[in-house]
Amino acid sequence: MDTGQGWRAKAACGRCAKCGVFGKIKDYAGQSTVEAAFILPVMLIAVLLLIQPGIILYDRMVMRGAAAEGCRVLATLSADQAELCESYVVRRLGAIPQQSLFHEHGSACSWDVSLEGSEASGRTAVEITNKIKPLPLIDAGAALLNLIDDQGFLTISVREEYTVQPTWASESALSEGAAAWIGAWTHE
């Protein structure tokens, strides 16, 4: 029955046409609560699955930077000064928080830093190994893939290698030492 009053017209059930539309929404009351009950755990799991790779990536970036700086320092030191380079690398690794998610510190520093080469050698290398405790959901998957050790830690290792002297300098006729360079500049 159309009276020509638009939305104010009465519906057959006795309610106005506009309320009839909103009356249907009442049938869906509580649906958003049920949807949230399904979506929230999925979103929390997704966030947890994104946090662990971020932590590992951060650790690897800091470890790789410390290893690269260690190689440059090692290239300027003699073989008997390697402990200075190791302490320098460990100090650079201080940017990683001492939490088990980032680095298992334990009772003593557990960084495993191995150095190879010196100023006299042709190449230097620094390898750093770190252990982290995976998040609860990640550790189950890592255990299934045999990625964790007996204590439940995930091992991250980084190795950087550098040549002590660039190839253009070592292959030149003046690579015999400082005396050859000085002689070239003074035209002797």
Side-chain angles (χ1 to χ4, degrees):
M1 154 184 211
D2 187 15
T3 60
Q5 295 179 1
W7 63 273
R8 295 178 192 239
K10 294 282 185 181
C13 65
R15 294 182 293 190
C16 72
K18 190 173 184 180
C19 291
V21 171
F22 290 117
K24 291 180 183 179
I25 293 176
K26 291 181 181 179
D27 294 340
Y28 299 110
Q31 178 181 355
S32 60
T33 305
V34 172
E35 289 174 356
F38 286 115
I39 298 265
L40 282 176
V42 171
M43 289 186 65
L44 288 174
I45 290 172
V47 168
L48 282 176
L49 291 175
L50 291 175
I51 288 174
Q52 188 73 54
I55 290 171
I56 293 172
L57 181 64
Y58 175 76
D59 280 2
R60 286 187 56 86
M61 286 183 350
V62 172
M63 289 167 60
R64 183 163 234 151
E69 290 181 24
C71 282
R72 289 190 288 272
V73 169
L74 195 58
T76 62
L77 297 175
S78 61
D80 59 342
Q81 296 175 321
E83 67 276 353
L84 291 173
C85 183
E86 184 175 354
S87 65
Y88 175 76
V89 169
V90 170
R91 182 173 177 190
R92 299 299 295 168
L93 293 170
I96 296 177
Q98 293 181 4
Q99 302 295 325
S100 61
L101 290 176
F102 290 90
H103 167 65
E104 182 55 38
H105 193 67
S107 60
C109 189
S110 63
W111 291 109
D112 184 20
V113 179
S114 63
L115 309 170
E116 298 173 14
S118 66
E119 179 181 38
S121 64
R123 296 188 67 78
T124 59
V126 175
E127 185 171 1
I128 304 170
T129 304
N130 181 21
K131 291 187 175 191
I132 63 170
K133 185 78 170 167
L135 289 170
L137 293 175
I138 305 291
D139 66 349
L144 289 173
L145 296 173
N146 291 328
L147 297 175
I148 57 175
D149 61 8
D150 297 338
Q151 300 169 345
F153 292 114
L154 184 66
T155 303
I156 302 172
S157 184
V158 171
R159 180 178 175 86
E160 286 290 324
E161 295 182 15
Y162 286 108
T163 56
V164 172
Q165 194 173 32
T167 55
W168 65 267
S170 63
E171 293 174 356
S172 73
L174 302 173
S175 65
E176 288 83 33
W181 284 93
I182 293 170
W185 289 335
T186 59
H187 304 290
E188 293 179 7

